[in-house]
Amino acid sequence: MAQQETDEQTQINDGFVVDTEDCEARELAHRERGTARPITVVGNPVLHKECKDVTEFDDSLAALIDDMFASQKAAEGVGLAANQIGVDLKVFVYDCPDDEGVRHTGVVINPVLQELPAEQRVLDESNEGCLSVPTAYAELARPDYAEVHGQDAQGNPIKVRGTGYFARCLQHETDHLYGYLYIDRLSKRDRKDALRQMEEGTPRYETVPNA
Ligand code: NI
């Protein structure tokens, strides 16, 4: 997910990963080992189909995660899915503040968004953007709380939860790995407007040209 115009998951808390500690050091370590790669944009087939499940939790997965953190930082994103750097695997990384201003940093492999009971679903209508739809933003209503179940880089089961802007990020990144962009959730008119914004803007980071 794109930043708004305005910045070792080992401990467990209530069954949920603690992703708020040592964020700066963890993000830096990944990014320094990795290499930033150009970002795929709407129209690239890799963004419009479900990614493959990760089955090997090996060094190449670790290297992918490092490259994803480097790419996320280079593009000033708050979340990045593997298909946004052209890799067809269910992996996303994030470095995102919640609505209390608390920073969350982590990685989720094979994420599955948990359905919330209707009575727990409070919609938050806020601005959303995506590195794969550069320079465009649109208002989109999403639940203000999200839970994602998946695995860590070693293959251990993990649960991640978030509120507000971070909840939006968890939903947005999971969507990516199932082949959906946030503009797919907009009205026809708003989608068209977002694509027009993209046409008129110039990304501040390197993108992969569409064939
Ligand atoms: Ni995105």
Side-chain angles (χ1 to χ4, degrees):
M1 196 159 82
Q3 197 167 8
Q4 299 293 305
E5 297 295 331
T6 60
D7 177 309
E8 313 291 359
Q9 301 172 147
T10 49
Q11 282 183 275
I12 298 297
N13 172 29
D14 194 18
F16 289 87
V17 137
V18 174
D19 57 6
T20 53
E21 292 178 0
D22 304 319
C23 290
E24 187 66 31
R26 288 187 291 117
E27 193 274 338
L28 184 67
H30 281 297
R31 160 158 62 93
E32 286 188 338
R33 288 190 298 261
T35 305
R37 304 199 212 168
I39 305 294
T40 56
V41 296
V42 56
N44 188 316
V46 76
L47 291 174
H48 303 285
K49 64 184 177 81
E50 183 175 342
C51 292
K52 295 193 181 80
D53 288 340
V54 171
T55 55
E56 306 283 339
F57 295 84
D58 55 9
D59 289 352
S60 76
L61 177 64
L64 170 65
I65 293 166
D66 292 341
D67 283 359
M68 288 174 67
F69 273 103
S71 305
Q72 172 176 256
K73 184 70 174 187
E76 297 179 46
V78 295
L80 186 81
N83 48 353
Q84 293 187 274
I85 56 167
V87 176
D88 177 18
L89 286 173
K90 283 199 184 105
V91 181
F92 75 74
V93 300
Y94 58 88
D95 187 12
C96 184
D98 62 24
D99 280 0
E100 282 74 52
V102 177
R103 181 178 176 181
H104 297 260
T105 303
V107 55
V108 188
I109 316 292
N110 301 327
V112 178
L113 188 70
Q114 303 303 296
E115 285 294 323
L116 295 176
E119 66 272 16
Q120 278 183 30
R121 222 175 297 151
V122 178
L123 290 180
D124 166 40
E125 177 129 1
S126 290
N127 225 18
E128 189 162 327
C130 177
L131 297 176
S132 294
V133 192
T135 73
Y137 291 90
E139 292 270 308
L140 178 62
R142 290 197 190 258
D144 69 350
Y145 173 82
E147 256 183 61
V148 170
H149 295 185
Q151 289 161 283
D152 67 14
Q154 287 74 43
N156 306 304
I158 56 164
K159 299 195 287 181
V160 183
R161 65 180 165 192
T163 59
Y165 188 51
F166 180 45
R168 181 171 294 275
C169 176
L170 292 173
Q171 295 169 76
H172 177 116
E173 301 312 329
T174 304
D175 270 357
H176 267 301
L177 299 176
Y178 289 83
Y180 296 102
L181 300 178
Y182 82 99
I183 58 169
D184 299 329
R185 295 184 175 276
L186 298 175
S187 69
K188 236 176 174 173
R189 184 166 162 273
D190 288 353
R191 179 193 170 92
K192 217 172 142 182
D193 184 63
L195 292 172
R196 185 189 50 74
Q197 291 178 49
M198 179 176 116
E199 285 302 311
E200 292 174 356
T202 305
R204 294 172 300 179
Y205 45 87
E206 197 187 343
T207 58
V208 179
N210 284 334

